[in-house]
């Protein structure tokens, strides 16, 4: 009896292991070096999970995932899954290295944190150039940018500097960098309820009538919980909101 149970357990474990491999084998951790800055960039690339037929003639879209400060770039699977299920290649980027200076805590943040955000923009631009040749079946010319908190600030700044290369921006409670007022970029920002955004970051009512921007407050949500490690109800809500936005094109 014990031998039979042991055999059954081993078969179950093997089946579980095989299942895990088959559902995650399209995700790849990598480290790319920007030699011009002597900078290593940890990334996680996830291919579309819906058997999308991506070719050089019919390219699939690309989304970059930019983490909040101090949070792993691999802790936003609710977002990468939403993109992957809709045919996107996703690239989750680790912007902060141990050798980087700490994020400046002094105001005005538009000045004191610009070095951090600009470094993030340079990293994204380098990755666009580097990965576009490695993944020719994906379109790196009309990006979707996703970012939480400081990663959202980086995403918004990139969209402001390179507006013709960005089609969509989704931020999770970024609070410092102004959302671009651009009729060609769709923007969706989910707002936490514990901290306000800085002045002019969000659009006023008259601006919302002019630009394709959606601003949604999630009641009882905390800024620091808005990632995979947050409460299940909040992660489920963010996942739902992101999916509905992507489907609303």
């Amino acid at each position: 009896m014990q031998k039979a149970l042991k055999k059954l357990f081993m078969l179950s474990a093997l089946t579980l292991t095989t299942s895990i491999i088959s559902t995650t084998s399209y995700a790849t951790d990598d480290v790319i070096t920007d030699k011009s800055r002597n900078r290593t960039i940890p990334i996680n690339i996830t291919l579309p999970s819906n058997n999308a037929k991506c070719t050089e003639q019919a390219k699939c879209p690309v989304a970059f995932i930019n983490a909040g400060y101090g949070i792993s770039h691999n802790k936003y699977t609710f977002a990468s899954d939403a993109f992957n299920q809709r045919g996107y290649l996703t690239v989750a980027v680790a912007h902060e290295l141990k050798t980087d200076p700490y994020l400046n805590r002094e105001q005005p943040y538009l000045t004191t944190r610009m070095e951090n955000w600009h470094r993030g923009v340079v990293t994204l631009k380098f990755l666009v150039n580097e990965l576009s040749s490695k993944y020719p079946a994906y379109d790196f010319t009309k990006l979707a940018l996703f970012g939480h908190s400081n990663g959202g600030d980086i995403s918004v700044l990139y969209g402001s500097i390179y507006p013709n290369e960005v089609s969509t921006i989704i931020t999770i409670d970024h609070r410092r960098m102004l959302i671009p007022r651009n009729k060609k970029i769709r923007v969706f920002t989910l707002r936490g309820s514990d901290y306000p955004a800085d002045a002019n970051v969000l659009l006023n009512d008259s601006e919302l009538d002019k630009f394709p921007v959606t601003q949604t407050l999630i009641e009882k949500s905390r800024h620091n919980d808005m990632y995979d490690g947050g409460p299940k109800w909040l992660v489920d809500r963010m996942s739902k909101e992101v999916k509905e936005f992507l489907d609303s094109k």
Side-chain angles (χ1 to χ4, degrees):
M1 181 66 176
Q2 288 182 338
K3 289 183 177 180
L5 287 174
K6 184 177 180 180
K7 183 177 181 181
L8 179 62
F9 175 78
M10 291 177 67
L11 288 172
S12 298
L14 179 61
T15 301
L16 178 59
T17 302
T18 303
S19 174
I20 291 173
I21 292 173
S22 66
T23 57
T24 59
S25 59
Y26 55 84
T28 303
D29 283 308
D30 198 0
V31 176
I32 295 180
T33 300
D34 180 352
K35 294 181 181 179
S36 68
R37 295 185 293 161
N38 192 29
R39 184 176 183 83
T40 57
I41 307 168
I43 61 173
N44 180 279
I45 295 178
T46 310
L47 300 179
S49 56
N50 63 349
N51 296 318
K53 295 181 179 179
C54 308
T55 67
E56 291 188 48
Q57 291 70 39
K59 296 186 178 185
C60 291
V62 175
F64 280 87
I65 309 292
N66 302 292
Y69 189 76
I71 301 176
S72 168
H73 61 298
N74 289 324
K75 294 296 185 180
Y76 295 87
T77 59
F78 76 88
S80 58
D81 286 348
F83 282 109
N84 295 149
Q85 291 164 9
R86 285 153 182 80
Y88 284 77
L89 169 79
T90 61
V91 184
V93 184
H95 284 285
E96 314 301 336
L97 303 179
K98 291 181 179 180
T99 53
D100 292 336
Y102 290 114
L103 190 65
N104 200 302
R105 303 293 182 182
E106 297 182 4
Q107 297 195 39
Y109 296 125
L110 284 178
T111 299
T112 61
R113 293 189 178 179
M114 187 58 68
E115 183 275 336
N116 178 285
W117 301 333
H118 189 263
R119 178 176 1 106
V121 168
V122 173
T123 292
L124 290 178
K125 187 63 174 173
F126 167 78
L127 290 173
V128 167
N129 294 333
E130 187 77 7
L131 296 175
S132 58
S133 59
K134 294 182 179 181
Y135 294 88
Y138 296 90
D139 187 0
F140 285 83
T141 67
K142 291 293 181 182
L143 302 173
L145 302 175
F146 172 96
H148 170 218
S149 190
N150 197 65
D153 293 319
I154 292 171
S155 301
V156 169
L157 180 60
Y158 191 99
S160 297
I161 295 176
Y162 301 108
N164 294 328
E165 300 176 19
V166 176
S167 64
T168 304
I169 298 174
I170 299 176
T171 77
I172 306 294
D173 209 37
H174 86 286
R175 294 161 46 211
R176 313 302 182 189
M177 180 58 59
L178 279 61
I179 290 174
R181 277 64 169 171
N182 188 318
K183 294 183 178 181
K184 295 183 179 180
I185 301 178
R186 296 177 71 233
V187 179
F188 179 48
T189 181
L190 280 174
R191 312 307 305 168
S193 59
D194 52 346
Y195 297 113
D198 289 350
N200 301 316
V201 167
L202 303 178
L203 278 65
N204 58 37
D205 290 342
S206 63
E207 289 174 320
L208 288 172
D209 290 334
K210 299 176 183 177
F211 301 100
V213 176
T214 301
Q215 301 171 166
T216 300
L217 173 68
I218 301 181
E219 297 286 353
K220 299 181 180 179
S221 63
R222 296 177 64 250
H223 177 85
N224 291 337
D225 289 341
M226 301 180 85
Y227 73 112
D228 285 351
K232 184 178 184 302
W233 73 265
L234 179 56
V235 177
D236 289 346
R237 172 71 185 278
M238 292 189 295
S239 175
K240 175 177 177 291
E241 294 283 357
V242 170
K243 289 176 180 177
E244 288 182 353
F245 175 74
L246 293 175
D247 290 340
S248 67
K249 288 185 178 180

